Amino acid sequence: MKLNHLGVVVTDVLATRTFLETSFGLTGIGRAGRRMTHLHDEDGFALSLFAGEQASEVHIGFIQVSEGAVNAIYDRLRADGFEMEPPRRSHGWTFSVTAPGGLIVEVVC
């Protein structure tokens, strides 16, 4: 069975949706509201964002094909003003960024 939907709580639904659309290419499904919104990727995975006072203690991840791809995303996010630790060797070549709204996003290969 394929996992194809996840719902998480964030502190700012609209800012998190915009970040995921512009930085990672997710596509919004329907109208974005302040309390709830939905996005999907090109494989049909659906991510639901729900408003709350504290972000969920989970993270989402974008697996890349190479260290160069991880580095390119890191460089782009830094240029966009996001603060994060540089990529490092862990369970792969990886870094994490906290999106607006408190959602933690990992990029790894």
Side-chain angles (χ1 to χ4, degrees), residues 80-97:
D80 288 344
F82 289 93
E83 302 263 338
M84 67 221 126
E85 296 294 320
R88 65 181 173 16
R89 181 90 37 224
S90 179
H91 53 285
W93 187 243
T94 184
F95 74 91
S96 294
V97 59

Side-chain angles (χ1 to χ4, degrees), residues 58-94:
V58 299
H59 74 272
I60 63 170
F62 292 91
I63 298 172
Q64 302 300 300
V65 298
S66 68
E67 290 183 9
V70 171
N71 294 340
I73 294 169
Y74 173 82
D75 291 342
R76 187 179 76 239
L77 290 171
R78 291 274 301 175
D80 288 344
F82 289 93
E83 302 263 338
M84 67 221 126
E85 296 294 320
R88 65 181 173 16
R89 181 90 37 224
S90 179
H91 53 285
W93 187 243
T94 184

Side-chain angles (χ1 to χ4, degrees), residues 30-51:
R31 275 187 63 182
R34 294 191 181 283
R35 302 287 310 147
M36 176 179 63
T37 194
H38 308 282
L39 302 108
H40 66 87
D41 68 9
E42 65 275 1
D43 292 326
F45 181 82
L47 179 63
S48 298
L49 304 176
F50 302 97

Side-chain angles (χ1 to χ4, degrees), residues 19 24 77 82-84 95-99 103-107:
F19 172 79
F24 290 96
L77 290 171
F82 289 93
E83 302 263 338
M84 67 221 126
F95 74 91
S96 294
V97 59
T98 301
L103 180 65
I104 298 171
V105 178
E106 179 184 21
V107 181

Side-chain angles (χ1 to χ4, degrees), residues 3-34:
L3 177 65
N4 57 14
H5 179 237
L6 175 67
V8 297
V9 174
V10 296
T11 60
D12 188 328
V13 168
L14 297 176
T16 305
R17 177 177 165 149
T18 298
F19 172 79
L20 292 170
E21 288 173 331
T22 59
S23 297
F24 290 96
L26 295 185
T27 302
I29 302 169
R31 275 187 63 182
R34 294 191 181 283

